[in-house]
């Protein structure tokens, strides 16, 4: 879409931005050019040495507008980042330029019953804490919610803790409005509302700089954390499906782990004996009374139960979703992962087939979510990595069985979960970023790859 003028006149760019925080220290710039793509042995060599030239940290929307205008003037690419907790190299710059660190923009504009509006750099945990003051809470969040930012979650995330109740972030109604700054000759602010938010949602920062986010909230419950162990993996999986299907029981998290995954959870090992399979739950306290009967029906045993207290003790949520991979890799760095969604019509049948087919090479980690009104198992399987060819074989075999794979081993949007880019996103991209300066190289359709 564009040819970047190199070397960029960074001195002129910096001099055009008086009063805006600038980081030029090479080690800091390198650190802020990274995310957790290191989970993928395929991405590590492909993104090695990819760093920005400088980091800019705007304090408000006016500073974002000044940065945008200056980058357009000097044709400098911009890669926007929040806390850098993504896993696909979304915020790794392929063409140098400016790293736009949004973490200073931390104003919670307002929180009302059922709805909140915040600046891009607000941490999810901070918003949740504020919302709970009026007995509401975030509908969903990744396991990195303590450090992740709201705009980072919108740009790079898709769901997480809470998705069993509310579905995925891209589902209609889970995102109400976005404010974005464009990279035109005269950058301006656009407010997207309703279905128009999809023009920017999960677009990895290629379609505008998100400055504010408006999201719906859910009613806050007193939550209880529970660990349940099972002698057989499929008993644990069937229990997970049964509690996911129990519409009258309010839950926020249902994760099921095949042995030996729980052995990587060092702080939890006293509750999960070696060789057993485990379910980790976050369930509303009023629903606890119904839990023992369901557990007994599936041959399980409750080994840990505690009403959640903010900031106190072990937090079970930080062993779920991709924190599972983090814990496993802290023990064995050869482990990587997949992201899968099993089809609703024969989900547990395929889970069992894959569990037996791969054994310990692909260790089963299920996360139950709601998709099109049905509760189904998604998975973040742990894979004992050998070669890229073998990993691609594993992905192919899953897809041949009808299992959807959102490939976490690529930094190209189309090759990951999207497969194709929404035409509306492409049209919006051409309008707001005519020079192709926003996170270039992350889309095959747009060019620059």
């Amino acid at each position: 879409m564009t040819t970047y003028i190199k070397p960029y006149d960074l001195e002129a760019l910096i001099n055009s931005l008086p009063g805006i925080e600038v980081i030029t220290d090479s080690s800091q710039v390198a650190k802020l050019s990274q995310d957790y793509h290191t989970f993928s042995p395929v991405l590590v060599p492909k993104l090695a040495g990819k760093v920005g030239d400088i980091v800019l940290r705007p304090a408000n929307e006016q500073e974002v507008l000044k940065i945008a205008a200056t980058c357009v003037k000097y044709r400098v690419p911009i890669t926007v980042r929040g806390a850098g907790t993504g896993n696909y190299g979304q915020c790794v710059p392929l063409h140098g330029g400016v790293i736009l660190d949004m973490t200073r923009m931390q104003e919670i504009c307002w929180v009302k019953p059922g709805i909140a509006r915040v600046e891009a750099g607000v941490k999810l945990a901070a918003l949740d804490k504020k919302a709970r003051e009026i007995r509401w809470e975030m509908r969903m969040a990744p396991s990195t919610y303590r450090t992740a930012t709201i705009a980072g979650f919108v740009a790079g995330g898709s769901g997480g803790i809470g998705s069993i109740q509310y579905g995925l972030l891209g589902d209609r109604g889970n995102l109400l409005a976005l404010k974005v700054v464009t990279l035109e000759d005269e950058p301006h602010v656009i407010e997207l509302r309703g279905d128009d938010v999809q023009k920017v949602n999960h677009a990895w920062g290629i379609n505008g700089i998100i400055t504010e986010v408006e999201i719906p909230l859910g009613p806050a419950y007193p939550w209880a954390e529970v660990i349940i162990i099972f002698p057989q993996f499929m008993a644990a999986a069937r229990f997970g499906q049964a509690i996911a299907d129990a519409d009258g029981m309010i839950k926020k998290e249902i994760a099921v782990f095949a042995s030996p995954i729980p052995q990587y959870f060092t702080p939890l090992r006293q509750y999960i004996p070696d060789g057993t399979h485990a379910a980790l739950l976050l369930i509303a306290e009023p629903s606890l009374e119904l839990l023992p009967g369901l557990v007994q029906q599936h041959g399980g045993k409750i080994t840990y139960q505690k009403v959640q207290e903010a900031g106190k003790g072990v937090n079970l949520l930080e062993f779920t979703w991709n924190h599972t991979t983090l814990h496993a890799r802290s023990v064995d760095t050869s482990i990587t992962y997949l992201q899968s969604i099993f089809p609703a019509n024969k989900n547990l049948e395929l889970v069992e087939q894959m569990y037996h087919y791969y054994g310990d090479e692909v260790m089963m980690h299920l996360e139950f979510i709601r998709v099109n009104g049905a509760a189904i198992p998604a998975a973040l399987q742990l894979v004992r990595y050998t070669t890229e060819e073998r990993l691609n074989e594993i992905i192919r075999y899953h897809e041949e069985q009808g299992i959807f794979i959102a490939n976490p081993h690529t930094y190209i949007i189309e090759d990951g979960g999207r497969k194709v880019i929404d035409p509306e996103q492409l049209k919006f991209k051409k309008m707001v970023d005519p020079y192709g300066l926003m996170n270039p190289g992350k889309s095959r359709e747009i060019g620059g790859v």
Side-chain angles (χ1 to χ4, degrees), residues 223-230 239 243 249 251 253-255 257 268 271-272 278-285 287-289 291-292 295 301-308 314-317 320:
W223 296 105
E225 297 180 334
V226 185
I227 298 175
I228 305 156
I229 60 171
F230 298 84
F239 164 79
I243 192 167
M249 296 178 74
K251 53 268 173 184
E253 172 64 15
I254 305 168
F257 306 95
L268 305 183
Y271 308 110
I272 310 172
L280 270 54
L281 307 181
L282 193 62
I283 183 170
E285 200 176 358
S287 295
L288 276 177
E289 186 179 349
L291 186 61
V295 170
K301 179 184 177 184
I302 296 172
T303 58
Y304 177 89
Q305 181 176 307
K306 186 180 180 182
V307 175
Q308 198 178 45
V314 172
N315 188 328
L316 290 193
L317 298 182
T320 66

Side-chain angles (χ1 to χ4, degrees), residues 6-142:
K6 290 189 178 183
Y8 317 114
D9 193 342
L10 289 176
E11 188 176 346
L13 183 140
I14 292 168
N15 290 338
S16 301
L17 299 169
I20 292 175
E21 184 182 348
V22 180
I23 297 171
T24 56
D25 175 74
S26 58
S27 62
Q28 272 290 92
V29 172
K31 183 179 178 183
L32 292 169
S33 298
Q34 301 301 306
D35 63 5
Y36 282 85
H37 71 271
T38 48
F39 280 14
S40 168
V42 177
L43 288 179
V44 169
K46 291 180 179 177
L47 295 176
K50 302 293 185 185
V51 295
D53 296 309
I54 60 168
V55 175
L56 299 175
R57 277 186 171 147
N60 53 55
E61 189 173 85
Q62 285 308 305
E63 290 191 357
V64 174
L65 281 162
K66 288 178 187 174
I67 291 167
T70 305
C71 286
V72 170
K73 178 181 177 182
Y74 293 102
R75 299 293 191 268
V76 179
I78 290 183
T79 305
V80 186
R81 71 174 275 124
T85 57
N87 302 104
Y88 324 110
Q90 300 110 310
C91 66
V92 176
L94 300 181
H95 296 280
V98 166
I99 302 293
L100 190 62
D101 182 331
M102 301 294 284
T103 54
R104 286 185 66 192
M105 293 181 60
Q106 295 184 12
E107 183 184 348
I108 295 176
C109 306
W110 44 261
V111 178
K112 302 172 184 177
I115 190 170
R117 189 166 182 115
V118 298
E119 285 189 329
V122 168
K123 291 182 179 178
L124 304 181
L127 171 55
D128 214 38
K129 183 179 179 183
K130 188 71 176 175
R132 289 188 75 88
E133 291 175 7
I134 59 166
R135 298 183 181 179
W136 291 81
E137 64 182 22
M138 287 195 67
R139 285 185 173 186
M140 69 188 73

Side-chain angles (χ1 to χ4, degrees), residues 319-336:
F319 294 87
T320 66
W321 291 87
N322 238 350
H323 259 74
T324 302
T325 313
L326 182 68
H327 286 286
R329 285 180 51 79
S330 69
V331 177
D332 182 351
T333 54
S334 72
I335 288 173
T336 187

